C-alpha cells in the first residue's frame, strides 16, 4: 500500500478551540466543516482530530465515557459523518485520537468495575492497601499526587496515571484488548484514516513495585515501553490496522531512541511513527516547569540524533500540551513574524511527516493570562496544588507554570480582529488572547509576506521536492545561536538549511560550503554571503 502519510502534512485540530458555530463559546464539528477550505488552502492533507468522543471533560476529552458517541458540546454522530464526507471531497484524511491507556471514571465499564464481583472488575487495576494501610505503591500521577485513588465502596484502590477521573485500563486482561480492537474497527469503518495513539507506550504495567524516588512521575520505570506494550501494539496491527489503508502515530512518553526504534521498526509492525519530546525539552530540566538556557547547538544535537536514528519521524513543534513555539523557541515580541517563519522553515525541512497545530500557521503566541484563575487545565491546576503543598510561594509558582502550562496553546483560534476573534459570538470557554486584533487569520490571508503565506509556500516547496521529503539529514554547522543542516539525495540534489535562533545577527563560515542558490528565506535576500540577520532562515540549493 502507498505510504501517503509520508507525502502529506498533518493539521491538528483541538476541537473546543477551533471554531464555534452555535454561540456557546465552544468549538464544534460544524465549525470544523466550515473551515475545511482553509485547511485545504494551507496545503494540509490529513487532520488529526483531538478527542470528540463523549466525555465529562475532566481532561478536555482525554477522559472518554463512550468511544462510540460524540460529545454533545461538539455535535452529533451525523455531524461527524458529515465531517468525514466533506473532508473526503477535498481529499483530506482524518485520524482520530485513540485514548486507551485510560477511560473516564464515568465510562460504563468503570461504573460496573466498582462492584467487586463484576465481570468488569478486571478491566481496571484495583489493588488493596499495603500493610500500613497506605496506597498499594509510591507511584505518582502525571498531574500531581498519588496515582492511586481509594474507593470506599469496594475497599480497594484503583490506578490512575493521570487525573483520578481517568482510571487506567488493565492490559493484562485480554477482554480489554478485544474491546479496543472493536473500537478501532468502528472508527476505521466510519472513515478514519488511522489513529494518534495517546501515551501508547505506557499501557502495559509490568510490575506494581514501588518506583525509584523522583521529583515527579514516580513509578514510570514499571510501565514505560514494556515488552507487554510492544506485544499489544503488534496484535492491534495484525488484527485491525493491517486490514485498512491507514497509519498510526503514537505519543510516546519518556521514550528514548532505543525504544523508539523498536516501536517504529517497519518489520515489527507496531507504529508508523511517534511523537517524542526531547527536542522541546532542550531548555527545560527534568521537569518542564524548571527552565535552563536554550542553545541552537543543543537543539541540533537532539534533532540529529532522532533524524538519523529513526527512518521516519513525526516532526512537530507544537500541540495542545505544549506552549506556542514562537513564544518558546522564537521571539514573540519584536521579531514575532520573522521568528515564526524561521520555525516554520525548521518544521518543513526535516525528514518526516510534519504536524502543524491549529493557530501555529498564523504565529499564535502563548496565552496572555495574568493569574491562575484564568487557567482551565487539570495539569496546571494539579501542579499548582502540589507546589503549594511544598510551600512554594505564589509568585514563584506562577513564574514556573505560566510559560509552560498547556493552556498556552489552547486559547481559541484567532480568525479575525473582531470581538470573539471570529471564533465565537458568545463567551469563549477559555480566554482569547488580546493580540487577536493584530494576530489573526483574516489579516494574513491575502498578505503575501504573512506567516500564513510563508507556511503555504514552504508546504508547497516540500511537496514538490523528493529531497526535502526523503533526502538524508546531516548536521552541517552549529553555534549557540545558529544551526545548519543538509538534506541530500546522493547524485541528485542537496539543500542546506541555515537558521538563526537569536535577536543578534550572525555569520556562517564559508569553508563549510554554505553556499548555493537561495530557494526560500524569511527575509528579502536573493543571495547568501554568510551573513545572517536576526532570526533569519535561508534554504540553499547547493547542487
Ligand atoms: O499526554 C500525555 C503526556 O505525556 C502529557 O501528560 C505530557 O506529559 C504533558 O501534557 C506535557 O505537558 C496525553 C495528551 O496529549 C494529554 O492532553 C492528556 O492530558 C494525557 O495524554 C492524558 O490522556
Ligand atoms: Ca459550539
Amino acid at each position: 500500500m502507498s505510504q501517503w502519510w509520508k507525502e502529506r502534512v498533518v493539521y491538528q485540530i483541538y476541537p473546543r478551540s477551533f471554531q464555534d458555530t452555535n454561540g456557546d463559546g465552544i468549538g464544534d464539528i460544524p465549525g470544523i466543516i466550515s473551515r475545511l477550505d482553509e485547511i485545504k488552502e494551507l496545503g494540509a492533507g490529513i487532520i488529526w482530530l483531538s478527542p470528540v468522543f463523549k466525555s465529562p471533560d475532566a481532561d478536555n476529552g482525554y477522559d472518554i465515557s463512550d468511544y462510540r458517541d460524540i460529545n454533545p458540546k461538539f455535535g452529533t454522530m451525523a455531524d461527524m459523518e458529515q465531517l468525514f464526507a466533506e473532508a473526503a471531497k477535498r481529499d483530506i484524511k482524518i485520524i482520530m485520537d485513540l485514548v486507551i491507556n485510560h477511560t473516564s471514571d464515568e465510562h460504563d465499564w468503570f461504573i460496573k468495575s466498582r462492584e467487586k464481583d463484576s465481570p468488569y472488575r478486571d478491566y481496571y487495576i484495583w489493588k488493596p492497601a499495603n500493610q500500613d494501610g497506605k496506597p498499594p505503591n509510591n507511584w505518582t500521577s502525571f498531574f500531581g499526587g498519588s496515582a492511586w485513588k481509594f474507593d470506599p465502596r469496594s475497599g480497594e484502590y484503583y490506578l490512575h496515571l493521570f487525573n483520578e477521573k481517568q482510571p487506567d485500563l488493565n492490559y493484562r486482561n485480554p477482554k480489554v484488548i478485544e474491546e479496543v480492537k472493536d473500537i478501532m474497527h468502528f472508527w476505521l469503518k466510519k472513515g478514519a484514516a488511522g489513529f494518534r495513539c495517546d501515551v501508547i507506550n505506557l499501557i502495559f504495567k509490568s510490575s506494581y513495585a514501588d518506583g525509584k524516588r523522583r521529583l515527579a512521575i514516580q513509578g514510570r520505570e514499571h510501565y514505560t515501553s514494556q515488552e507487554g506494550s510492544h506485544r499489544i501494539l503488534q496484535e492491534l496491527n495484525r488484527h485491525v490496522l493491517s486490514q485498512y489503508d491507514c497509519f498510526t502515530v503514537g505519543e510516546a512518553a519518556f521514550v528514548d531512541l532505543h525504544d523508539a526504534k523498536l516501536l517504529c521498526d517497519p518489520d515489527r509492525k507496531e507504529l508508523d511513527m511517534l511523537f517524542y519530546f526531547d527536542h522541546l525539552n532542550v531548555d527545560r530540566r527534568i521537569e518542564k516547569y524548571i527552565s535552563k538556557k536554550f542553545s541552537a547547538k543543543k537543539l541540533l544535537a537532539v534533532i540529529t540524533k532522532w533524524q538519523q536514528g529513526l527512518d521516519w519521524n513525526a516532526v512537530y513543534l507544537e500541540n495542545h500540551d505544549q506552549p506556542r513555539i514562537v513564544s518558546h523557541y522564537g521571539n514573540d515580541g519584536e521579531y514575532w513574524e520573522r521568528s515564526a517563519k524561521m520555525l516554520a522553515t525548521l518544521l518543513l525541512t526535516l525528514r518526516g511527516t510534519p504536524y502543524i497545530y491549529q493557530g501555529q500557521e498564523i504565529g499564535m503566541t502563548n496565552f496572555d493570562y495574568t493569574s491562575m484563575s484564568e487557567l482551565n487545565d487539570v495539569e496546571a491546576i494539579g501542579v499548582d496544588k502540589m507546589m503549594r503543598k511544598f510551600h512554594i510561594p505564589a509568585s514563584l509558582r506562577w513564574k514556573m507554570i505560566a510559560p509552560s502550562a498547556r493552556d498556552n496553546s489552547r486559547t481559541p483560534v484567532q480568525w479575525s480582529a473582531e470581538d470573539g476573534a471570529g471564533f465565537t459570538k458568545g463567551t469563549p470557554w477559555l480566554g482569547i488572547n488580546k493580540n487577536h486584533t493584530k494576530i489573526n487569520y483574516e489579516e494574513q490571508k491575502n498578505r503575501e509576506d504573512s506567516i500564513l503565506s510563508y507556511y503555504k509556500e514552504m508546504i508547497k516547496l516540500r511537496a514538490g521536492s523528493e529531497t526535502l521529503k526523503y533526502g538524508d539529514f546531516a548536521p552541517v554547522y552549529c553555534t549557540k545561536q545558529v544551526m545548519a543542516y543538509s538534506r541530500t539525495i546522493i547524485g541528485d540534489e542537496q539543500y542546506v538549511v541555515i537558521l538563526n535562533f537569536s535577536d543578534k545577527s550572525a555569520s556562517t563560515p564559508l569553508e563549510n560550503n554554505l553556499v548555493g542558490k537561495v530557494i526560500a528565506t524569511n527575509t528579502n535576500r536573493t543571495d547568501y554571503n554568510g551573513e545572517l540577520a536576526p532570526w533569519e532562515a535561508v534554504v540553499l540549493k547547493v547542487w
Side-chain angles (χ1 to χ4, degrees):
M1 258 182 267
S2 89
Q3 294 189 314
W4 47 264
W5 38 270
K6 290 187 173 174
E7 297 281 325
R8 297 176 179 226
V9 169
V10 185
Y11 188 80
Q12 184 194 348
I13 293 184
Y14 194 66
R16 80 194 53 228
S17 299
F18 189 63
Q19 177 69 69
D20 178 26
T21 54
N22 62 353
D24 66 355
I26 303 169
D28 42 50
I29 296 173
I32 300 173
I33 296 172
S34 76
R35 293 291 185 183
L36 286 172
D37 289 334
E38 282 83 347
I39 297 169
K40 184 75 193 172
E41 249 169 67
L42 175 64
I46 302 171
I47 289 171
W48 153 23
L49 195 58
S50 274
V52 289
F53 315 101
K54 201 168 162 217
S55 163
D57 284 334
D59 187 16
N60 290 351
Y62 284 89
D63 50 319
I64 298 171
S65 55
D66 188 345
Y67 290 88
R68 292 180 180 77
D69 204 352
I70 300 294
N71 188 334
K73 289 177 190 165
F74 297 152
T76 61
M77 189 57 91
D79 292 328
M80 189 61 216
E81 282 160 1
Q82 199 193 341
L83 173 57
F84 278 128
E86 289 295 325
K89 270 190 207 161
R90 294 165 177 84
D91 188 29
I92 296 173
K93 313 225 182 212
I94 298 180
I95 63 168
M96 308 294 282
D97 218 311
L98 189 71
V99 187
I100 55 163
N101 175 68
H102 43 269
T103 68
S104 162
D105 66 339
E106 296 181 33
H107 194 290
D108 211 34
W109 301 335
F110 189 75
I111 295 170
K112 291 180 177 149
S113 151
R114 284 181 184 269
E115 305 295 334
K116 239 180 160 166
D117 52 4
S118 158
Y120 288 91
R121 186 70 172 176
D122 234 17
Y123 270 44
Y124 295 86
I125 301 162
W126 290 95
K127 301 272 173 222
N130 71 8
Q131 289 108 327
D132 310 326
K134 297 243 172 67
N137 65 32
N138 69 358
W139 296 6
T140 56
S141 129
F142 277 64
F143 297 158
S146 170
W148 297 93
K149 169 87 177 167
F150 185 68
D151 183 46
R153 264 193 54 196
S154 62
E156 287 189 332
Y157 288 83
Y158 66 84
L159 178 71
H160 62 88
L161 292 186
F162 294 88
N163 186 254
E164 62 183 56
K165 282 187 69 61
Q166 294 167 295
D168 281 49
L169 284 163
N170 175 17
Y171 278 89
R172 291 161 183 243
N173 181 352
K175 283 193 208 143
V176 169
I177 303 174
E178 292 310 312
E179 298 273 13
V180 169
K181 288 181 196 166
D182 285 351
I183 292 165
M184 293 169 78
H185 280 298
F186 178 87
W187 285 104
L188 290 164
K189 283 191 184 128
K190 275 221 181 286
F195 300 100
R196 176 268 186 187
C197 311
D198 194 61
V199 288
I200 198 66
N201 64 326
L202 309 186
I203 60 178
F204 191 88
K205 284 76 179 169
S206 56
S207 111
Y208 296 101
D210 274 344
K212 199 170 97 188
R213 284 184 67 83
R214 294 177 198 272
L215 200 57
I217 323 185
Q218 208 157 258
R220 62 175 90 150
E221 62 277 19
H222 298 294
Y223 56 76
T224 302
S225 305
Q226 303 296 303
E227 193 40 46
S229 294
H230 289 295
R231 219 182 42 237
I232 293 163
L233 282 170
Q234 289 166 11
E235 186 176 334
L236 297 178
N237 202 298
R238 225 173 22 249
H239 293 173
V240 185
L241 297 163
S242 60
Q243 299 166 21
Y244 300 84
D245 181 16
C246 67
F247 81 101
T248 53
V249 50
E251 183 204 30
F254 316 121
V255 75
D256 60 20
L257 185 57
H258 171 80
D259 292 335
K261 279 183 175 163
L262 296 176
L263 287 160
C264 296
D265 177 352
D267 294 332
R268 291 169 58 95
K269 296 193 168 42
E270 297 186 18
L271 295 166
D272 292 307
M273 58 182 123
L274 57 78
F275 294 123
Y276 45 82
F277 297 86
D278 283 8
H279 64 302
L280 295 178
N281 288 337
V282 301
D283 63 345
R284 295 163 165 176
R285 297 186 193 278
I286 324 148
E287 293 312 322
K288 68 173 184 176
Y289 299 102
I290 307 173
S291 61
K292 64 180 185 198
K293 219 172 150 51
F294 172 86
S295 96
K297 199 173 218 151
K298 283 191 273 182
L299 179 59
L300 185 62
V302 172
I303 290 176
T304 301
K305 174 175 137 188
W306 287 92
Q307 284 278 303
Q308 297 186 334
L310 290 180
D311 180 57
W312 196 254
N313 279 259
V315 182
Y316 77 102
L317 297 173
E318 284 185 23
N319 63 34
H320 64 292
D321 293 333
Q322 294 291 334
R324 292 290 183 177
I325 197 64
V326 69
S327 301
H328 186 189
Y329 287 170
N331 173 326
D332 61 11
E334 187 188 348
Y335 292 105
W336 162 71
E337 191 161 274
R338 200 190 286 165
S339 67
K341 292 178 188 171
M342 185 279 283
L343 292 159
T345 315
L346 172 67
L347 179 78
L348 292 156
T349 57
L350 292 174
R351 183 181 159 102
T353 301
Y355 288 72
I356 297 170
Y357 175 69
Q358 63 183 36
Q360 182 178 350
E361 76 277 27
I362 56 168
M364 276 179 63
T365 63
N366 274 356
F367 199 171
D368 55 349
Y369 44 31
T370 53
S371 84
M372 272 311 287
S373 65
E374 290 175 70
L375 271 83
N376 162 276
D377 180 35
V378 62
E379 179 184 82
I381 292 166
V383 168
D384 185 61
K385 198 166 130 194
M386 189 177 69
M387 288 184 184
R388 222 177 320 151
K389 270 198 197 138
F390 287 103
H391 305 288
I392 299 176
S395 59
L396 184 56
R397 295 201 308 268
W398 181 247
K399 210 179 137 203
M400 291 199 274
I401 291 175
S404 274
R406 305 195 297 182
D407 285 329
N408 279 309
S409 57
R410 297 180 179 183
T411 60
V413 170
Q414 297 166 198
W415 293 105
S416 74
E418 304 164 74
D419 280 357
F423 162 72
T424 185
K425 297 220 181 312
T427 309
W429 73 277
L430 187 69
I432 293 176
N433 197 313
K434 285 186 286 301
N435 69 18
H436 73 275
T437 52
K438 174 179 156 230
I439 301 176
N440 64 70
Y441 187 89
E442 207 51 47
E443 190 277 326
Q444 296 190 29
K445 192 176 159 191
N446 298 315
R447 181 157 63 82
E448 260 174 41
D449 63 351
S450 69
I451 297 168
L452 179 62
S453 301
Y454 191 80
Y455 265 91
K456 290 180 186 170
E457 276 164 41
M458 290 304 297
I459 290 171
K460 273 204 197 98
L461 183 67
R462 178 185 182 276
S465 161
E466 291 302 291
T467 310
L468 286 178
K469 278 183 290 195
Y470 297 107
D472 289 332
F473 172 96
V476 173
Y477 176 76
C478 66
T479 64
K480 270 191 266 182
Q481 193 183 335
V482 173
M483 69 164 73
Y485 53 86
S486 62
R487 299 292 312 283
T488 312
I489 293 182
I490 298 282
D492 187 6
E493 269 190 339
Q494 181 172 67
Y495 288 89
V496 166
V497 180
I498 310 163
L499 307 171
N500 183 357
F501 280 80
S502 94
D503 291 350
K504 296 197 195 78
S505 48
S507 56
T508 56
L510 288 167
E511 65 265 23
N512 284 72
N513 266 336
L514 298 176
V515 288
K517 183 169 179 270
V518 175
I519 293 291
T521 172
N522 58 353
T523 59
N524 298 323
R525 78 163 63 248
T526 49
D527 54 29
Y528 184 65
N529 56 5
E531 300 297 319
L532 282 169
W535 299 102
E536 192 169 26
V538 185
V539 181
L540 300 176
K541 188 165 180 203
V542 179
W543 39 269

Short mmCIF file of all heavy atoms in Angstrom, two decimals, residues 20-28 73, ligand 2:
data_model
loop_
_atom_site.label_atom_id
_atom_site.label_comp_id
_atom_site.label_asym_id
_atom_site.label_seq_id
_atom_site.Cartn_x
_atom_site.Cartn_y
_atom_site.Cartn_z
N ASP A 20 -16.39 27.91 16.78
CA ASP A 20 -17.73 27.74 17.36
C ASP A 20 -18.76 28.19 16.33
O ASP A 20 -18.54 29.17 15.63
CB ASP A 20 -17.83 28.61 18.63
CG ASP A 20 -19.21 28.53 19.28
OD1 ASP A 20 -19.90 27.51 19.09
OD2 ASP A 20 -19.57 29.50 19.98
N THR A 21 -19.87 27.46 16.22
CA THR A 21 -20.91 27.91 15.27
C THR A 21 -22.24 28.22 15.95
O THR A 21 -23.10 28.86 15.34
CB THR A 21 -21.20 26.84 14.18
OG1 THR A 21 -21.53 25.60 14.81
CG2 THR A 21 -20.02 26.67 13.26
N ASN A 22 -22.44 27.76 17.20
CA ASN A 22 -23.76 27.99 17.80
C ASN A 22 -23.72 28.97 18.98
O ASN A 22 -24.69 29.08 19.72
CB ASN A 22 -24.40 26.66 18.23
CG ASN A 22 -23.56 25.96 19.28
OD1 ASN A 22 -22.45 26.41 19.59
ND2 ASN A 22 -24.07 24.89 19.84
N GLY A 23 -22.59 29.64 19.14
CA GLY A 23 -22.53 30.71 20.14
C GLY A 23 -22.41 30.27 21.58
O GLY A 23 -22.53 31.09 22.49
N ASP A 24 -22.14 28.97 21.82
CA ASP A 24 -21.98 28.55 23.21
C ASP A 24 -20.54 28.71 23.70
O ASP A 24 -20.21 28.33 24.83
CB ASP A 24 -22.47 27.11 23.42
CG ASP A 24 -21.63 26.09 22.68
OD1 ASP A 24 -20.71 26.50 21.93
OD2 ASP A 24 -21.86 24.88 22.84
N GLY A 25 -19.69 29.26 22.84
CA GLY A 25 -18.30 29.54 23.26
C GLY A 25 -17.38 28.34 23.15
O GLY A 25 -16.21 28.42 23.55
N ILE A 26 -17.89 27.23 22.61
CA ILE A 26 -17.09 26.01 22.48
C ILE A 26 -17.04 25.63 21.00
O ILE A 26 -18.09 25.54 20.33
CB ILE A 26 -17.73 24.85 23.28
CG1 ILE A 26 -17.88 25.24 24.77
CG2 ILE A 26 -16.92 23.57 23.14
CD1 ILE A 26 -18.72 24.28 25.57
N GLY A 27 -15.86 25.39 20.50
CA GLY A 27 -15.73 24.96 19.11
C GLY A 27 -16.51 23.68 18.89
O GLY A 27 -16.76 22.92 19.83
N ASP A 28 -16.92 23.44 17.64
CA ASP A 28 -17.76 22.27 17.38
C ASP A 28 -17.47 21.68 16.00
O ASP A 28 -16.71 22.26 15.21
CB ASP A 28 -19.25 22.63 17.55
CG ASP A 28 -19.59 23.98 16.93
OD1 ASP A 28 -19.20 24.18 15.76
OD2 ASP A 28 -20.19 24.84 17.62
N LYS A 73 -21.41 18.64 23.21
CA LYS A 73 -20.88 20.00 23.04
C LYS A 73 -20.37 20.22 21.62
O LYS A 73 -20.34 21.34 21.11
CB LYS A 73 -19.69 20.23 23.98
CG LYS A 73 -20.04 20.34 25.44
CD LYS A 73 -18.76 20.48 26.25
CE LYS A 73 -19.05 20.34 27.74
NZ LYS A 73 -17.83 20.13 28.52
CA1 LIG B 2 -20.33 25.42 19.86
#
